[in-house]
Amino acid sequence: MDDFDAYFEKKVVAVAGDINQDFMGLSQEDLARVSSSVNFLIHCAANVDFNERLDGAITTNCRGPLRMMRLAERCPNLKAYVHVSTAYVNCNRPSGSLVAEELPLCQSDGEQVMKEIEKLAVPELEARTRALLQAEKYPNTYTFTKAMGEKLLHKYHGNIPVAIVRPTIIGAAWREPAPGWVDTVSAGGALFLSGGMGFMPVQSGDPELVGDQIPVDLVTNAILVAAAEACSKGPGFFRIYHSGSSTRNPVRWSLCAEAVARFWKKRPSSKSQLKCQYTMVKNPLVYHWRYLRLVSLPALALGVYSKLSSSEQVKKKSAMFNKVMKRSRTLAETFHHFVNNEWFYESKNLLAASASMPDRDRSSFPVDPAPINWRQYLDDFSWGLQRFILRDDVAPCRHLSDALERAGKKGGLSFLSDLSFAFAYKVKDRSMLVVPPTKQIVSQMLASPAVQQLLKTYGKEKVLAVLQEMTASFSLPAIRFMAWLMSKLNRKLFSEVLVNESSLRHLQDMSADDSVVFLPTHKSYFDFLLVSWILFVFDIKLPHIAAGQDFLNVALVASLFRRSGAFFIPRTLINDPLWAVLLGEYTRQLLLHNQWIEFFIEGQRSRSGKLLQPRKGLLGMVVDAWAQEEKRDIQLVPISIDYEHAIEMESHVLELLGVPKVKESFSAMIRAAPRKLMRSFGKVEINFGSPISLKAAAAAGGGGGGG
């Protein structure tokens, strides 16, 4: 920390200045220092008050950039000048427009407007402002003057390399300095805070339109990336960069309203005095009715009661309520234009500039919002408003997505939604769906030296019989049927199936050449079904699953499981060299063919809910297979599965008391089904851990092979 402070003090010097004065109002000493030492100028200052009088807005948003340009001309070592504008200099275009990274459609001559308004008295100025805004189709003086400021910069930048960065609606941080970090209430944050605190129970707007949000850390990175490109291009360079999400990862206002309302209802602020009821309504009649019912009538009733009451506390509460509601109404009116229109901002220049950077820099300074999970981001945003603005002592969010909800959305809202969902499985790389025929794998197994020795010892008939009993036989129709069935069962059995979606991203990004072994905890027969269903829901490659031979007693179920990727093994391989060698070779062949594998390292279900001691048999076979092909790596992915109420809880208790376990059979399953389906087992939470590289683990441990 001391080293960082020293570095910071060496690089950062604060100087007093004023954007409304020539050369920023710098003292002669500071002006000389800035002129001689500065390489980059980043102009972020602006008057962001949407309702600022036109002369005040022009002073900061039009004259300010020109004053900064004059300062830039005094800097002989200047490499680039970055001007931070707003994407909404184009909000005078028709709703739905695709906006390129080019100068705004503003016909007014900035210099002429500046000269004109200097001569106008206040009443004339207000009339002229209305006329200008109406002619240019801008909703406020902020966007109008920012547009004129851009055009003035383009006219006078000369040889100075200029990059204009246009953010959309800037929100809380996505990743840096911390998810949800926010230090001011503005733009979307003002809407979300007012809605969450209950001050704005209903807002007029079209919830199905795109509300272009962009995290502040991505905007910061965009400024740095634009500065780097302007520097590399040299004198005379001028380019505009959009920093937004509408064309990369659009988010609708409906999701914003839903996520904010859900978060604040579950986790209200300690400072909340009103219940969160935040909704966005398009229909004007419906909006006015809800506003009357939720705001006007309660305010009127409280006002009447305060006049009749002698309580000072009631009078203060009534005055506070009216004050807050007035501010919320002003806020809603300010954003009316932006929640009833949408624009789609191209970001080709920004993405191209980022793509030209070295991999390390591109990773350190991401600008693309495509990977953002908006539901998680909005939860972090709400948390940040509570933690950093309201100063509540609240724990950060745990990001768990309900897989049942995602499956429903993939299937749509039709009567056959689960069937639609079963056909919506689309992994990123179609080659990952390729599963070698069982006959091909068996043929290659039979050719291996170890299995050749078994053939001599046990005979071909017995070896083939074991392989027929063991091996899986993937069938996509069977997998789709299982996905459909599991969706039905999961909705019946569980209130929520929660999964840490962010940890699945690395699995979604893997290629057909990657090898993965899943290692779930084991508390229920439902475990492996849930893991495969989750992977199906999130369009991730499905694994071959090690299942106990007990399932072979349930013929129909065994056949369906086998076609869904299950291969069957005995409870123990001790004193059974035939099965041990064949299973080891089968494991090696699956990994050689880039097939993913899943098995329970505990070997059996935990009846107590606590983890059991691991059994190393199958894991040892995986390590042995890797040791024979050390150029390849294998990723081990631990998975924890926790049930609010385990499905087999009753039988687990009886078994712990010494009652013999009921043997698996089709008739036993049929007898148990009605009783199980009549109740809910609450939530189930599935957490995928970070992958563990087998190669890295072996190198760290000093080992190189199996055993």
Side-chain angles (χ1 to χ4, degrees):
M1 182 59 74
D2 291 340
D3 291 342
F4 175 78
D5 290 343
Y7 178 80
F8 185 83
E9 290 173 2
K10 179 182 177 182
K11 291 292 184 180
V12 179
V13 178
V15 294
D18 184 349
I19 190 68
N20 294 325
Q21 296 183 30
D22 290 338
F23 302 114
M24 305 300 109
L26 296 174
S27 67
Q28 289 299 317
E29 180 182 352
D30 287 340
L31 179 59
R33 186 176 186 180
V34 168
S35 300
S36 62
S37 60
V38 165
N39 301 120
F40 294 88
L41 280 174
I42 299 175
H43 180 203
C44 297
N47 188 327
V48 297
D49 185 348
F50 283 11
N51 299 309
E52 177 71 17
R53 208 171 68 185
L54 183 57
D55 54 345
I58 282 179
T59 298
T60 305
N61 299 338
C62 295
R63 298 187 190 278
L66 291 179
R67 292 190 180 101
M68 186 65 79
M69 185 62 67
R70 300 289 85 79
L71 176 62
E73 291 170 349
R74 293 274 299 255
C75 301
N77 300 314
L78 188 72
K79 303 297 183 183
Y81 169 28
V82 181
H83 174 75
V84 181
S85 184
T86 172
Y88 295 100
V89 295
N90 287 291
C91 71
N92 60 340
R93 298 182 185 228
S95 180
S97 296
L98 178 64
V99 182
E101 291 159 301
E102 58 190 23
L103 288 171
L105 297 177
C106 177
Q107 303 303 319
S108 297
D109 185 317
E111 291 173 295
Q112 183 178 337
V113 172
M114 286 190 288
K115 291 178 182 178
E116 180 185 358
I117 65 163
E118 288 177 349
K119 305 173 184 178
L120 299 178
V122 172
E124 297 170 316
L125 175 61
E126 292 177 350
R128 182 58 180 150
T129 299
R130 288 192 296 271
L132 283 169
L133 294 182
Q134 185 176 2
E136 295 285 2
K137 299 181 180 178
Y138 281 104
N140 52 56
T141 56
Y142 168 67
T143 51
F144 174 51
T145 53
K146 291 293 284 185
M148 288 194 296
E150 282 192 17
K151 299 192 77 170
L152 288 168
L153 273 182
H154 180 256
K155 182 177 181 179
Y156 289 109
H157 77 96
N159 286 325
I160 294 176
V162 171
I164 294 181
V165 176
R166 289 179 180 165
T168 52
I169 303 173
I170 302 177
W174 176 36
R175 290 177 175 169
E176 295 177 324
W181 177 85
V182 60
D183 69 343
T184 186
V185 179
S186 62
L191 296 178
F192 301 157
L193 181 63
S194 297
M197 293 287 285
F199 301 145
M200 188 188 293
V202 60
Q203 180 182 355
S204 174
D206 188 343
E208 295 310 309
L209 296 181
V210 169
D212 199 321
Q213 317 280 318
I214 190 71
V216 64
D217 45 336
L218 293 194
V219 176
T220 302
N221 293 339
I223 292 171
L224 297 175
V225 169
E229 181 168 61
C231 171
S232 69
K233 297 297 183 181
F237 176 79
F238 185 94
R239 187 164 292 169
I240 295 170
Y241 305 83
H242 282 150
S243 178
S245 60
S246 52
T247 56
R248 297 293 298 166
N249 185 10
V251 54
R252 299 188 185 280
W253 286 113
S254 56
L255 177 59
C256 297
E258 175 199 334
V260 168
R262 187 191 69 251
F263 182 93
W264 290 77
K265 286 176 182 177
K266 285 186 175 181
R267 300 177 59 171
S269 168
S270 61
K271 298 176 177 62
S272 294
Q273 297 185 5
L274 299 171
K275 183 179 179 181
C276 173
Q277 304 178 68
Y278 186 50
T279 57
M280 187 174 286
V281 178
K282 179 181 179 180
N283 187 297
L285 293 177
V286 176
Y287 165 73
H288 287 300
W289 160 243
R290 290 189 183 177
Y291 191 87
L292 176 68
R293 180 170 59 87
L294 298 172
V295 179
S296 300
L297 291 179
L300 179 62
L302 185 59
V304 172
Y305 178 62
S306 68
K307 291 181 180 180
L308 298 176
S309 173
S310 59
S311 170
E312 288 299 320
Q313 186 176 1
V314 172
K315 295 182 185 297
K316 287 181 180 179
K317 189 172 183 179
S318 176
M320 183 276 294
F321 185 84
N322 284 321
K323 183 178 180 180
V324 168
M325 290 307 169
K326 183 178 179 180
R327 288 182 178 177
S328 297
R329 187 164 56 250
T330 301
L331 179 66
E333 291 170 354
T334 299
F335 279 91
H336 183 269
H337 183 76
F338 302 95
V339 294
N340 285 281
N341 295 278
E342 64 181 355
W343 302 270
F344 297 89
Y345 296 100
E346 288 185 345
S347 51
K348 294 178 181 178
N349 289 345
L350 183 61
L351 294 175
S354 177
S356 69
M357 298 168 64
D359 291 344
R360 181 178 177 181
D361 290 345
R362 190 163 59 250
S363 175
S364 299
F365 304 100
V367 298
D368 190 358
I372 296 176
N373 180 312
W374 286 115
R375 191 174 294 278
Q376 293 181 5
Y377 171 78
L378 292 165
D379 282 350
D380 283 332
F381 200 158
S382 290
W383 172 80
L385 290 169
Q386 292 183 352
R387 177 67 182 86
F388 301 109
I389 301 301
L390 299 177
R391 302 294 180 182
D392 285 347
D393 185 13
V394 287
C397 303
R398 291 179 66 233
H399 292 305
L400 299 175
S401 302
D402 187 355
L404 290 173
E405 182 178 307
R406 182 182 174 98
K409 287 185 176 180
K410 285 181 72 177
L413 301 176
S414 67
F415 177 72
L416 299 175
S417 60
D418 287 330
L419 188 60
S420 300
F421 155 71
F423 282 89
Y425 180 54
K426 296 178 181 178
V427 297
K428 181 180 69 173
D429 182 356
R430 295 293 296 177
S431 65
M432 297 180 76
L433 294 176
V434 176
V435 178
T438 304
K439 288 183 178 180
Q440 178 184 340
I441 290 182
V442 169
S443 176
Q444 292 171 346
M445 288 177 65
L446 293 174
S448 71
V451 177
Q452 283 289 314
Q453 186 60 46
L454 289 179
L455 291 171
K456 294 177 182 178
T457 304
Y458 295 95
K460 187 173 183 179
E461 184 177 347
K462 188 167 185 178
V463 170
L464 289 177
V466 171
L467 289 175
Q468 185 176 4
E469 184 176 332
M470 175 196 298
T471 52
S473 180
F474 255 102
S475 165
L476 194 54
I479 289 169
R480 296 195 190 282
F481 174 76
M482 284 296 293
W484 171 83
L485 180 62
M486 282 296 295
S487 295
K488 297 289 187 186
L489 289 175
N490 287 338
R491 262 193 284 275
K492 187 70 176 175
L493 295 172
F494 306 113
S495 58
E496 292 178 299
V497 178
L498 301 174
V499 59
N500 56 334
E501 185 177 346
S502 59
S503 67
L504 295 174
R505 194 170 298 126
H506 56 262
L507 296 174
Q508 291 171 323
D509 291 339
M510 286 186 173
S511 72
D513 295 329
D514 291 310
S515 295
V516 175
V517 175
F518 294 106
L519 303 172
T521 56
H522 197 17
K523 297 171 185 173
S524 168
Y525 284 135
F526 234 66
D527 293 340
F528 71 88
L529 297 173
L530 276 173
V531 171
S532 290
W533 183 76
I534 291 293
L535 297 176
F536 188 97
V537 169
F538 288 93
D539 298 317
I540 297 170
K541 183 174 179 174
L542 300 178
H544 283 69
I545 307 158
Q549 280 181 320
D550 299 341
F551 286 108
L552 294 174
N553 297 325
V554 191
L556 291 176
V557 172
S559 177
L560 187 57
F561 283 2
R562 191 187 300 276
R563 286 168 172 74
S564 301
F567 59 96
F568 299 94
I569 61 175
R571 290 286 179 187
T572 178
L573 297 173
I574 298 175
N575 301 322
D576 196 342
L578 175 59
W579 270 91
V581 172
L582 288 176
L583 181 57
E585 184 60 27
Y586 185 57
T587 301
R588 189 176 77 89
Q589 288 296 332
L590 289 177
L591 293 171
L592 280 175
H593 286 86
N594 301 314
Q595 298 306 295
W596 295 7
I597 298 176
E598 174 191 338
F599 60 85
F600 300 106
I601 198 168
E602 296 167 277
Q604 62 178 330
R605 291 173 297 156
S606 169
R607 271 66 172 174
S608 64
K610 297 182 180 295
L611 291 176
L612 303 177
Q613 286 294 321
R615 296 185 179 181
K616 303 175 184 177
L618 259 176
L619 184 59
M621 293 176 185
V622 169
V623 174
D624 286 338
W626 165 78
Q628 296 177 46
E629 298 283 341
E630 286 197 37
K631 291 183 179 179
R632 302 163 57 87
D633 195 9
I634 296 175
Q635 303 292 327
L636 306 178
V637 179
I639 305 172
S640 70
I641 306 175
D642 296 292
Y643 297 87
E644 191 171 347
H645 302 287
I647 295 175
E648 298 101 318
M649 180 63 72
E650 295 174 2
S651 61
H652 285 176
V653 171
L654 293 174
E655 289 172 30
L656 288 171
L657 292 173
V659 177
K661 174 188 169 186
V662 177
K663 187 177 181 181
E664 286 82 0
S665 67
F666 186 71
S667 59
M669 186 181 71
I670 294 298
R671 286 196 301 271
R675 187 173 70 255
K676 301 294 185 184
L677 294 173
M678 287 296 290
R679 59 172 295 191
S680 172
F681 293 89
K683 300 177 183 178
V684 55
E685 185 173 316
I686 305 172
N687 285 285
F688 287 74
S690 299
I692 301 168
S693 164
L694 188 53
K695 181 184 290 187

